[in-house]
Amino acid sequence: MRTMLEAVSTPARILIVDDEEEIRDVLMTSLEDPAFELTGSSNAMDALDKMRDARFSLVISDLRMPGLSGLDFLRTLKECDPDVPVILITGVRDLETAVETLRLGACDYITKPFDLFAIRRSVENALERSRLALENRCYQMELERLVRERTLELHGALKEIEEGYRFTLEALAAALDAREHETRAHSQRVREYASRLARQLGLAGDDLIHLGRGALLHDVGKIGVPDSILLKPGKLTPDEWVHMKRHPQVGYDILQSIRFLAPAAKIVLAHQERWDGTGYPNCLHGDEIPLGARIFAVVDTLDAMTSDRPYRKALSFQTAWEEVYRCSGSQFDPDVVEAFLNIEPGVWKEIHDLVNCRHQASEAGDVLCQR
Ligand SMILES: [Fe+2]
């Protein structure tokens, strides 16, 4: 297969195929020009052999030749090299044949006896059209290459931005977790749990991404809760509860104005709602609660029960699993609970251990960095 540059190079290589030597000679004489490099061939098979060995810019061929006919020759060479322009010459004034040659891809059809100026004009036109077509194709290929290159660069840049977002959100969540000492890595655990449960429910794509962000940032509104309330070891007074119950709304207000976090903000707003309508801040009921928040509610309880508290040690995953079952239809969406129960307690324990391990490794890395 010839390359684009070879095809547009000069001098233009022209293959003249005719079984009559006299005709070949006439054509070669009439086309003598430093711009052309002429090769003669007496039959189609020989011409095909020559085309295998060398690249031609144009083929002029007789239609009626012994052996392979001009039409079959045209068909075969177009299969091998669809770009090469072909001019067919024949003594037969046959409109049907002319139409057929054009249909098969010939660029011109000239009848004998031919006008040598007409041949020359036809050759020059064919070469010019071919050159323009090839230049256009080269230009198009270059454009496509540039588009591919820029698309890759854009994907790379978007990936970097996305990574930047991810690290920023994780740092923010880590800061929130660090404030409530006993809940270290809580946000990362609930993100992983929520993601696993969401996949069990068939969620994918952007829904998973928004849920992950919502889970990671669910307590961002606790920024507005004073330490005296957030870190209070004993029970909260009614007034203190009023403060505490504002945190979903505060979190929502912080996140909803950031465009890529707006879907996650809805999960943050509803993460303390309960299926039976007794949650807060809006006492939403059943399906009124966004699915992401219903998923989050289950895994938040799972993590709360399986984490150490100042007043008790962590409970087992089996105990948490049973508690989620018990609260199906009251605190939790029964469909979400069913999906949760279809996952073995051991799977949740594995996720728990993996996140904690990662968290400890990153803390150890931070300590090393500070030395
Ligand atoms: Fe919360």
Side-chain angles (χ1 to χ4, degrees), residues 123-148:
V123 164
E124 285 172 353
N125 286 344
L127 286 172
E128 181 62 7
R129 276 200 305 274
S130 173
R131 188 185 65 78
L132 288 175
L134 288 167
E135 274 184 7
N136 192 35
R137 180 123 26 109
C138 287
Y139 176 69
Q140 211 171 331
M141 283 169 73
E142 178 60 13
L143 269 186
E144 284 169 8
R145 189 191 64 75
L146 274 175
V147 168
R148 274 198 304 275

PDB file of all heavy atoms in Angstrom, residues 123-148:
ATOM      1  N   VAL A 123      -5.494  13.136 -18.312  1.00  0.00           N
ATOM      2  CA  VAL A 123      -4.429  12.719 -17.384  1.00  0.00           C
ATOM      3  C   VAL A 123      -4.167  13.818 -16.354  1.00  0.00           C
ATOM      4  O   VAL A 123      -4.088  13.572 -15.143  1.00  0.00           O
ATOM      5  CB  VAL A 123      -3.132  12.393 -18.175  1.00  0.00           C
ATOM      6  CG1 VAL A 123      -1.922  12.334 -17.250  1.00  0.00           C
ATOM      7  CG2 VAL A 123      -3.294  11.074 -18.926  1.00  0.00           C
ATOM      8  N   GLU A 124      -4.036  15.065 -16.858  1.00  0.00           N
ATOM      9  CA  GLU A 124      -3.731  16.164 -15.934  1.00  0.00           C
ATOM     10  C   GLU A 124      -4.877  16.385 -14.935  1.00  0.00           C
ATOM     11  O   GLU A 124      -4.632  16.584 -13.741  1.00  0.00           O
ATOM     12  CB  GLU A 124      -3.457  17.448 -16.720  1.00  0.00           C
ATOM     13  CG  GLU A 124      -2.079  17.405 -17.362  1.00  0.00           C
ATOM     14  CD  GLU A 124      -1.812  18.568 -18.314  1.00  0.00           C
ATOM     15  OE1 GLU A 124      -2.743  19.362 -18.588  1.00  0.00           O
ATOM     16  OE2 GLU A 124      -0.684  18.652 -18.787  1.00  0.00           O
ATOM     17  N   ASN A 125      -6.113  16.293 -15.442  1.00  0.00           N
ATOM     18  CA  ASN A 125      -7.270  16.452 -14.534  1.00  0.00           C
ATOM     19  C   ASN A 125      -7.299  15.359 -13.474  1.00  0.00           C
ATOM     20  O   ASN A 125      -7.544  15.617 -12.296  1.00  0.00           O
ATOM     21  CB  ASN A 125      -8.590  16.417 -15.320  1.00  0.00           C
ATOM     22  CG  ASN A 125      -8.810  17.706 -16.087  1.00  0.00           C
ATOM     23  OD1 ASN A 125      -8.153  18.711 -15.802  1.00  0.00           O
ATOM     24  ND2 ASN A 125      -9.691  17.673 -17.075  1.00  0.00           N
ATOM     25  N   ALA A 126      -7.045  14.128 -13.946  1.00  0.00           N
ATOM     26  CA  ALA A 126      -7.095  12.986 -13.010  1.00  0.00           C
ATOM     27  C   ALA A 126      -6.013  13.123 -11.941  1.00  0.00           C
ATOM     28  O   ALA A 126      -6.267  12.891 -10.752  1.00  0.00           O
ATOM     29  CB  ALA A 126      -6.916  11.681 -13.775  1.00  0.00           C
ATOM     30  N   LEU A 127      -4.812  13.523 -12.365  1.00  0.00           N
ATOM     31  CA  LEU A 127      -3.717  13.658 -11.398  1.00  0.00           C
ATOM     32  C   LEU A 127      -4.008  14.791 -10.409  1.00  0.00           C
ATOM     33  O   LEU A 127      -3.733  14.671  -9.213  1.00  0.00           O
ATOM     34  CB  LEU A 127      -2.386  13.923 -12.120  1.00  0.00           C
ATOM     35  CG  LEU A 127      -1.783  12.704 -12.824  1.00  0.00           C
ATOM     36  CD1 LEU A 127      -0.578  13.113 -13.670  1.00  0.00           C
ATOM     37  CD2 LEU A 127      -1.362  11.643 -11.813  1.00  0.00           C
ATOM     38  N   GLU A 128      -4.586  15.881 -10.919  1.00  0.00           N
ATOM     39  CA  GLU A 128      -4.900  17.015 -10.050  1.00  0.00           C
ATOM     40  C   GLU A 128      -5.968  16.632  -9.017  1.00  0.00           C
ATOM     41  O   GLU A 128      -5.840  16.935  -7.827  1.00  0.00           O
ATOM     42  CB  GLU A 128      -5.362  18.202 -10.906  1.00  0.00           C
ATOM     43  CG  GLU A 128      -5.712  19.469 -10.142  1.00  0.00           C
ATOM     44  CD  GLU A 128      -4.533  20.058  -9.356  1.00  0.00           C
ATOM     45  OE1 GLU A 128      -3.400  19.561  -9.504  1.00  0.00           O
ATOM     46  OE2 GLU A 128      -4.774  20.993  -8.562  1.00  0.00           O
ATOM     47  N   ARG A 129      -7.020  15.943  -9.512  1.00  0.00           N
ATOM     48  CA  ARG A 129      -8.087  15.517  -8.585  1.00  0.00           C
ATOM     49  C   ARG A 129      -7.530  14.576  -7.528  1.00  0.00           C
ATOM     50  O   ARG A 129      -7.847  14.657  -6.346  1.00  0.00           O
ATOM     51  CB  ARG A 129      -9.212  14.815  -9.366  1.00  0.00           C
ATOM     52  CG  ARG A 129     -10.235  15.777  -9.971  1.00  0.00           C
ATOM     53  CD  ARG A 129     -11.540  15.049 -10.296  1.00  0.00           C
ATOM     54  NE  ARG A 129     -11.328  13.902 -11.153  1.00  0.00           N
ATOM     55  CZ  ARG A 129     -11.276  13.946 -12.488  1.00  0.00           C
ATOM     56  NH1 ARG A 129     -11.434  15.106 -13.110  1.00  0.00           N
ATOM     57  NH2 ARG A 129     -11.088  12.852 -13.202  1.00  0.00           N
ATOM     58  N   SER A 130      -6.663  13.658  -7.990  1.00  0.00           N
ATOM     59  CA  SER A 130      -6.073  12.686  -7.076  1.00  0.00           C
ATOM     60  C   SER A 130      -5.206  13.395  -6.034  1.00  0.00           C
ATOM     61  O   SER A 130      -5.241  13.083  -4.846  1.00  0.00           O
ATOM     62  CB  SER A 130      -5.243  11.694  -7.884  1.00  0.00           C
ATOM     63  OG  SER A 130      -4.528  10.853  -7.041  1.00  0.00           O
ATOM     64  N   ARG A 131      -4.411  14.378  -6.527  1.00  0.00           N
ATOM     65  CA  ARG A 131      -3.534  15.116  -5.612  1.00  0.00           C
ATOM     66  C   ARG A 131      -4.368  15.857  -4.554  1.00  0.00           C
ATOM     67  O   ARG A 131      -4.073  15.798  -3.368  1.00  0.00           O
ATOM     68  CB  ARG A 131      -2.688  16.116  -6.408  1.00  0.00           C
ATOM     69  CG  ARG A 131      -1.603  16.812  -5.608  1.00  0.00           C
ATOM     70  CD  ARG A 131      -0.896  17.860  -6.440  1.00  0.00           C
ATOM     71  NE  ARG A 131      -1.771  18.956  -6.829  1.00  0.00           N
ATOM     72  CZ  ARG A 131      -2.136  19.951  -6.026  1.00  0.00           C
ATOM     73  NH1 ARG A 131      -1.688  19.988  -4.794  1.00  0.00           N
ATOM     74  NH2 ARG A 131      -2.937  20.899  -6.447  1.00  0.00           N
ATOM     75  N   LEU A 132      -5.450  16.514  -5.015  1.00  0.00           N
ATOM     76  CA  LEU A 132      -6.290  17.263  -4.077  1.00  0.00           C
ATOM     77  C   LEU A 132      -6.954  16.328  -3.074  1.00  0.00           C
ATOM     78  O   LEU A 132      -7.023  16.620  -1.881  1.00  0.00           O
ATOM     79  CB  LEU A 132      -7.369  18.055  -4.855  1.00  0.00           C
ATOM     80  CG  LEU A 132      -6.863  19.265  -5.631  1.00  0.00           C
ATOM     81  CD1 LEU A 132      -7.982  19.882  -6.458  1.00  0.00           C
ATOM     82  CD2 LEU A 132      -6.285  20.311  -4.674  1.00  0.00           C
ATOM     83  N   ALA A 133      -7.418  15.173  -3.585  1.00  0.00           N
ATOM     84  CA  ALA A 133      -8.084  14.205  -2.695  1.00  0.00           C
ATOM     85  C   ALA A 133      -7.107  13.697  -1.639  1.00  0.00           C
ATOM     86  O   ALA A 133      -7.449  13.593  -0.457  1.00  0.00           O
ATOM     87  CB  ALA A 133      -8.637  13.041  -3.510  1.00  0.00           C
ATOM     88  N   LEU A 134      -5.868  13.412  -2.094  1.00  0.00           N
ATOM     89  CA  LEU A 134      -4.876  12.892  -1.146  1.00  0.00           C
ATOM     90  C   LEU A 134      -4.439  13.964  -0.151  1.00  0.00           C
ATOM     91  O   LEU A 134      -4.275  13.688   1.034  1.00  0.00           O
ATOM     92  CB  LEU A 134      -3.661  12.339  -1.906  1.00  0.00           C
ATOM     93  CG  LEU A 134      -3.950  11.030  -2.638  1.00  0.00           C
ATOM     94  CD1 LEU A 134      -2.841  10.702  -3.615  1.00  0.00           C
ATOM     95  CD2 LEU A 134      -4.125   9.892  -1.643  1.00  0.00           C
ATOM     96  N   GLU A 135      -4.280  15.189  -0.653  1.00  0.00           N
ATOM     97  CA  GLU A 135      -3.912  16.282   0.256  1.00  0.00           C
ATOM     98  C   GLU A 135      -5.007  16.493   1.290  1.00  0.00           C
ATOM     99  O   GLU A 135      -4.744  16.684   2.473  1.00  0.00           O
ATOM    100  CB  GLU A 135      -3.718  17.581  -0.539  1.00  0.00           C
ATOM    101  CG  GLU A 135      -2.312  17.707  -1.080  1.00  0.00           C
ATOM    102  CD  GLU A 135      -2.079  19.042  -1.788  1.00  0.00           C
ATOM    103  OE1 GLU A 135      -2.964  19.920  -1.745  1.00  0.00           O
ATOM    104  OE2 GLU A 135      -1.020  19.168  -2.387  1.00  0.00           O
ATOM    105  N   ASN A 136      -6.247  16.406   0.804  1.00  0.00           N
ATOM    106  CA  ASN A 136      -7.385  16.570   1.698  1.00  0.00           C
ATOM    107  C   ASN A 136      -7.394  15.466   2.759  1.00  0.00           C
ATOM    108  O   ASN A 136      -7.646  15.712   3.934  1.00  0.00           O
ATOM    109  CB  ASN A 136      -8.670  16.522   0.858  1.00  0.00           C
ATOM    110  CG  ASN A 136      -9.862  16.967   1.673  1.00  0.00           C
ATOM    111  OD1 ASN A 136      -9.735  17.841   2.511  1.00  0.00           O
ATOM    112  ND2 ASN A 136     -11.000  16.344   1.452  1.00  0.00           N
ATOM    113  N   ARG A 137      -7.091  14.234   2.296  1.00  0.00           N
ATOM    114  CA  ARG A 137      -7.062  13.104   3.234  1.00  0.00           C
ATOM    115  C   ARG A 137      -5.936  13.287   4.261  1.00  0.00           C
ATOM    116  O   ARG A 137      -6.113  13.021   5.444  1.00  0.00           O
ATOM    117  CB  ARG A 137      -6.885  11.787   2.460  1.00  0.00           C
ATOM    118  CG  ARG A 137      -6.852  10.593   3.355  1.00  0.00           C
ATOM    119  CD  ARG A 137      -7.884   9.521   3.088  1.00  0.00           C
ATOM    120  NE  ARG A 137      -8.393   9.422   1.764  1.00  0.00           N
ATOM    121  CZ  ARG A 137      -8.107   8.417   0.926  1.00  0.00           C
ATOM    122  NH1 ARG A 137      -7.271   7.478   1.296  1.00  0.00           N
ATOM    123  NH2 ARG A 137      -8.658   8.355  -0.243  1.00  0.00           N
ATOM    124  N   CYS A 138      -4.756  13.746   3.761  1.00  0.00           N
ATOM    125  CA  CYS A 138      -3.623  13.991   4.683  1.00  0.00           C
ATOM    126  C   CYS A 138      -4.025  15.037   5.732  1.00  0.00           C
ATOM    127  O   CYS A 138      -3.750  14.872   6.920  1.00  0.00           O
ATOM    128  CB  CYS A 138      -2.399  14.519   3.926  1.00  0.00           C
ATOM    129  SG  CYS A 138      -1.582  13.282   2.951  1.00  0.00           S
ATOM    130  N   TYR A 139      -4.705  16.094   5.241  1.00  0.00           N
ATOM    131  CA  TYR A 139      -5.117  17.173   6.126  1.00  0.00           C
ATOM    132  C   TYR A 139      -6.100  16.644   7.174  1.00  0.00           C
ATOM    133  O   TYR A 139      -5.988  16.923   8.370  1.00  0.00           O
ATOM    134  CB  TYR A 139      -5.772  18.266   5.272  1.00  0.00           C
ATOM    135  CG  TYR A 139      -6.340  19.421   6.045  1.00  0.00           C
ATOM    136  CD1 TYR A 139      -5.502  20.312   6.707  1.00  0.00           C
ATOM    137  CD2 TYR A 139      -7.711  19.631   6.107  1.00  0.00           C
ATOM    138  CE1 TYR A 139      -6.026  21.374   7.431  1.00  0.00           C
ATOM    139  CE2 TYR A 139      -8.242  20.687   6.827  1.00  0.00           C
ATOM    140  CZ  TYR A 139      -7.402  21.558   7.485  1.00  0.00           C
ATOM    141  OH  TYR A 139      -7.923  22.599   8.193  1.00  0.00           O
ATOM    142  N   GLN A 140      -7.029  15.805   6.684  1.00  0.00           N
ATOM    143  CA  GLN A 140      -8.034  15.233   7.571  1.00  0.00           C
ATOM    144  C   GLN A 140      -7.386  14.316   8.619  1.00  0.00           C
ATOM    145  O   GLN A 140      -7.731  14.351   9.800  1.00  0.00           O
ATOM    146  CB  GLN A 140      -9.005  14.414   6.729  1.00  0.00           C
ATOM    147  CG  GLN A 140     -10.403  14.402   7.300  1.00  0.00           C
ATOM    148  CD  GLN A 140     -11.366  13.765   6.316  1.00  0.00           C
ATOM    149  OE1 GLN A 140     -11.159  13.824   5.105  1.00  0.00           O
ATOM    150  NE2 GLN A 140     -12.374  13.123   6.829  1.00  0.00           N
ATOM    151  N   MET A 141      -6.408  13.504   8.145  1.00  0.00           N
ATOM    152  CA  MET A 141      -5.718  12.604   9.068  1.00  0.00           C
ATOM    153  C   MET A 141      -4.943  13.391  10.115  1.00  0.00           C
ATOM    154  O   MET A 141      -4.901  13.023  11.281  1.00  0.00           O
ATOM    155  CB  MET A 141      -4.764  11.678   8.294  1.00  0.00           C
ATOM    156  CG  MET A 141      -5.494  10.546   7.597  1.00  0.00           C
ATOM    157  SD  MET A 141      -4.441   9.672   6.451  1.00  0.00           S
ATOM    158  CE  MET A 141      -3.389   8.773   7.556  1.00  0.00           C
ATOM    159  N   GLU A 142      -4.353  14.502   9.669  1.00  0.00           N
ATOM    160  CA  GLU A 142      -3.597  15.338  10.602  1.00  0.00           C
ATOM    161  C   GLU A 142      -4.547  15.955  11.628  1.00  0.00           C
ATOM    162  O   GLU A 142      -4.239  16.003  12.822  1.00  0.00           O
ATOM    163  CB  GLU A 142      -2.854  16.431   9.805  1.00  0.00           C
ATOM    164  CG  GLU A 142      -2.057  17.412  10.626  1.00  0.00           C
ATOM    165  CD  GLU A 142      -0.954  16.783  11.463  1.00  0.00           C
ATOM    166  OE1 GLU A 142      -0.633  15.600  11.245  1.00  0.00           O
ATOM    167  OE2 GLU A 142      -0.431  17.465  12.376  1.00  0.00           O
ATOM    168  N   LEU A 143      -5.723  16.389  11.126  1.00  0.00           N
ATOM    169  CA  LEU A 143      -6.719  16.953  12.037  1.00  0.00           C
ATOM    170  C   LEU A 143      -7.176  15.914  13.058  1.00  0.00           C
ATOM    171  O   LEU A 143      -7.262  16.191  14.250  1.00  0.00           O
ATOM    172  CB  LEU A 143      -7.948  17.412  11.243  1.00  0.00           C
ATOM    173  CG  LEU A 143      -7.978  18.849  10.756  1.00  0.00           C
ATOM    174  CD1 LEU A 143      -9.330  19.148  10.132  1.00  0.00           C
ATOM    175  CD2 LEU A 143      -7.730  19.823  11.896  1.00  0.00           C
ATOM    176  N   GLU A 144      -7.434  14.689  12.553  1.00  0.00           N
ATOM    177  CA  GLU A 144      -7.882  13.621  13.449  1.00  0.00           C
ATOM    178  C   GLU A 144      -6.807  13.310  14.484  1.00  0.00           C
ATOM    179  O   GLU A 144      -7.102  13.079  15.656  1.00  0.00           O
ATOM    180  CB  GLU A 144      -8.215  12.361  12.644  1.00  0.00           C
ATOM    181  CG  GLU A 144      -9.547  12.480  11.919  1.00  0.00           C
ATOM    182  CD  GLU A 144      -9.772  11.372  10.909  1.00  0.00           C
ATOM    183  OE1 GLU A 144      -8.965  10.422  10.861  1.00  0.00           O
ATOM    184  OE2 GLU A 144     -10.755  11.473  10.154  1.00  0.00           O
ATOM    185  N   ARG A 145      -5.531  13.334  14.017  1.00  0.00           N
ATOM    186  CA  ARG A 145      -4.422  13.061  14.950  1.00  0.00           C
ATOM    187  C   ARG A 145      -4.384  14.146  16.041  1.00  0.00           C
ATOM    188  O   ARG A 145      -4.245  13.857  17.221  1.00  0.00           O
ATOM    189  CB  ARG A 145      -3.100  13.038  14.185  1.00  0.00           C
ATOM    190  CG  ARG A 145      -1.911  12.550  14.994  1.00  0.00           C
ATOM    191  CD  ARG A 145      -0.603  12.792  14.268  1.00  0.00           C
ATOM    192  NE  ARG A 145      -0.305  14.201  14.053  1.00  0.00           N
ATOM    193  CZ  ARG A 145       0.114  15.039  15.006  1.00  0.00           C
ATOM    194  NH1 ARG A 145       0.312  14.591  16.224  1.00  0.00           N
ATOM    195  NH2 ARG A 145       0.338  16.300  14.738  1.00  0.00           N
ATOM    196  N   LEU A 146      -4.577  15.414  15.586  1.00  0.00           N
ATOM    197  CA  LEU A 146      -4.558  16.517  16.549  1.00  0.00           C
ATOM    198  C   LEU A 146      -5.709  16.398  17.546  1.00  0.00           C
ATOM    199  O   LEU A 146      -5.527  16.625  18.736  1.00  0.00           O
ATOM    200  CB  LEU A 146      -4.670  17.854  15.802  1.00  0.00           C
ATOM    201  CG  LEU A 146      -3.355  18.446  15.308  1.00  0.00           C
ATOM    202  CD1 LEU A 146      -3.625  19.695  14.491  1.00  0.00           C
ATOM    203  CD2 LEU A 146      -2.438  18.785  16.479  1.00  0.00           C
ATOM    204  N   VAL A 147      -6.894  16.027  17.019  1.00  0.00           N
ATOM    205  CA  VAL A 147      -8.067  15.881  17.898  1.00  0.00           C
ATOM    206  C   VAL A 147      -7.807  14.785  18.926  1.00  0.00           C
ATOM    207  O   VAL A 147      -8.083  14.944  20.125  1.00  0.00           O
ATOM    208  CB  VAL A 147      -9.344  15.577  17.073  1.00  0.00           C
ATOM    209  CG1 VAL A 147     -10.489  15.135  17.959  1.00  0.00           C
ATOM    210  CG2 VAL A 147      -9.749  16.789  16.263  1.00  0.00           C
ATOM    211  N   ARG A 148      -7.217  13.645  18.426  1.00  0.00           N
ATOM    212  CA  ARG A 148      -6.912  12.540  19.360  1.00  0.00           C
ATOM    213  C   ARG A 148      -5.926  13.002  20.430  1.00  0.00           C
ATOM    214  O   ARG A 148      -6.101  12.722  21.616  1.00  0.00           O
ATOM    215  CB  ARG A 148      -6.325  11.345  18.588  1.00  0.00           C
ATOM    216  CG  ARG A 148      -7.376  10.413  18.002  1.00  0.00           C
ATOM    217  CD  ARG A 148      -6.766   9.074  17.652  1.00  0.00           C
ATOM    218  NE  ARG A 148      -5.645   9.193  16.758  1.00  0.00           N
ATOM    219  CZ  ARG A 148      -5.737   9.263  15.437  1.00  0.00           C
ATOM    220  NH1 ARG A 148      -6.923   9.211  14.867  1.00  0.00           N
ATOM    221  NH2 ARG A 148      -4.660   9.374  14.680  1.00  0.00           N
TER     222      ARG A 148
END
